Amino acid sequence: MTEPILLFLDINGVIDVQENDKVPEHIFKNETGYPVPGAKEFLQIINSCSWIHPMWISSWGLQSQVWNKWSKTRLWPVAYSFEEFEKEEALKLFPDASDKYLAARWHSRDWQHRIVWIEDGFCIMPKALNWAQSNPKVKLIDTSPTMKERRQGYEMGIRHWNIERVCDALDIQENREILLNQIKAPVPDLTPNLISDTESNQKITFNQINASITDFVDPLKRQSLASNKDAKNLDNPTPFMLKIRNFFKLENRT
């Protein structure tokens, strides 16, 4: 039997990522969002896994549940933000915690099984990182790519570069192909590189041809110049050569 998992799921930067060229989608009533490809299938699969106990941990607050209505799933509990009296109780147990980290600690205080928290930007939550490092049952998945990953074309959110890690953390096996088909890796545009490589190869070949022609022509040119020089020397002999010519002329006369 699969061990139960308590899932804390953020929205912005995870399943909802605003992009400049993307038209907002109607989520519920007056609410609009920018769901990433496969977001609806992702929520539906989580909803169908009996061992996953999802909770919203998002700045959407109670409005997080509109994403359940959009994806036609049951309404998940909301872990963030707090009611004031609840926050006071949470701070008594975790006085050094705050915001989402406080919410995660409070709502998992009696949970004895695995915890998966999917969020963008754990780099600004050092206490959450320390919590995961000290507790082997806690797994954090950051959907914000590093600078190196951004240069490789990785985008924020549940994407092709992290979906396998998400599925492994949540023990999603049977339906992962559905997600992989929906969250497809972008096909890189290699045209500029091909053009650049072609131009580079042409330049190299041209230089090689020039070098070969130079290697072939230069000796001929040097030989031609030497011949012309010899011919010129014959047309304009030195005084020494004139004496030799005159000597042979005298010999021929005798």
Side-chain angles (χ1 to χ4, degrees):
M1 181 177 178
T2 305
E3 183 183 0
I5 297 172
L6 178 60
L7 170 64
F8 293 115
L9 185 64
D10 185 25
I11 295 176
N12 294 338
V14 177
I15 61 171
D16 178 38
V17 179
Q18 185 172 352
E19 298 170 333
N20 293 333
D21 57 346
K22 192 173 181 180
V23 178
E25 184 175 333
H26 178 72
I27 303 299
F28 182 76
K29 292 186 178 179
N30 296 326
E31 297 288 349
T32 59
Y34 298 82
V36 298
K40 184 173 292 185
E41 290 79 8
F42 178 61
L43 298 181
Q44 290 172 347
I45 287 175
I46 288 174
N47 196 69
S48 68
C49 295
S50 59
W51 60 92
I52 301 177
H53 301 264
M55 295 189 76
W56 294 113
I57 188 164
S58 168
S59 58
W60 283 62
L62 291 175
Q63 287 298 98
S64 299
Q65 292 180 336
V66 302
W67 288 87
N68 293 126
K69 296 174 182 178
W70 171 76
S71 60
K72 295 180 173 57
T73 57
R74 69 181 186 276
L75 299 182
W76 299 348
V78 176
Y80 184 81
S81 56
F82 287 107
E83 295 290 343
E84 192 59 36
F85 73 92
E86 192 177 33
K87 186 175 181 180
E88 291 177 1
E89 293 298 317
L91 285 171
K92 291 177 183 178
L93 281 180
F94 309 102
D96 296 331
S98 61
D99 299 324
K100 286 187 178 183
Y101 174 58
L102 177 61
R105 294 303 305 268
W106 172 254
H107 287 285
S108 64
R109 64 190 183 280
D110 297 322
W111 186 261
Q112 301 298 319
H113 307 287
R114 289 182 295 164
I115 300 170
V116 176
W117 184 356
I118 304 177
E119 175 82 48
D120 66 303
F122 277 116
C123 60
I124 60 174
M125 298 185 191
K127 291 182 179 178
L129 293 173
N130 293 336
W131 179 40
Q133 290 174 358
S134 61
N135 189 338
K137 286 186 173 294
V138 177
K139 176 74 173 179
L140 306 183
I141 298 179
D142 199 329
T143 59
S144 180
T146 62
M147 291 300 295
K148 181 179 179 180
E149 289 170 337
R150 286 179 186 275
R151 288 194 294 269
Q152 294 174 344
Y154 292 0
E155 297 176 305
M156 183 177 290
I158 296 289
R159 305 284 187 171
H160 70 281
W161 60 274
N162 55 35
I163 187 60
E164 286 280 6
R165 187 149 44 99
V166 170
C167 288
D168 289 340
L170 297 175
D171 283 335
I172 296 174
Q173 303 297 334
E174 295 181 1
N175 298 314
R176 71 167 60 200
E177 289 301 322
I178 296 175
L179 293 177
L180 295 179
N181 289 333
Q182 293 295 326
I183 305 174
K184 296 178 180 178
V187 179
D189 185 7
L190 300 178
T191 304
N193 292 335
L194 289 174
I195 293 174
S196 177
D197 291 343
T198 301
E199 290 176 349
S200 177
N201 291 335
Q202 288 176 345
K203 185 175 181 180
I204 292 172
T205 303
F206 183 73
N207 290 338
Q208 289 174 341
I209 292 172
N210 279 345
S212 298
I213 291 174
T214 302
D215 291 342
F216 177 75
V217 170
D218 280 356
L220 294 178
K221 186 176 180 181
R222 288 194 297 269
Q223 184 177 351
S224 176
L225 289 173
S227 299
N228 291 338
K229 184 177 181 181
D230 292 342
K232 185 176 181 181
N233 289 338
L234 291 175
D235 293 338
N236 300 286
T238 63
F240 176 76
M241 291 297 295
L242 286 173
K243 288 181 181 181
I244 293 175
R245 283 185 182 180
N246 291 335
F247 173 78
F248 280 106
K249 286 180 181 180
L250 291 173
E251 286 293 323
N252 290 336
R253 286 178 185 177
T254 59

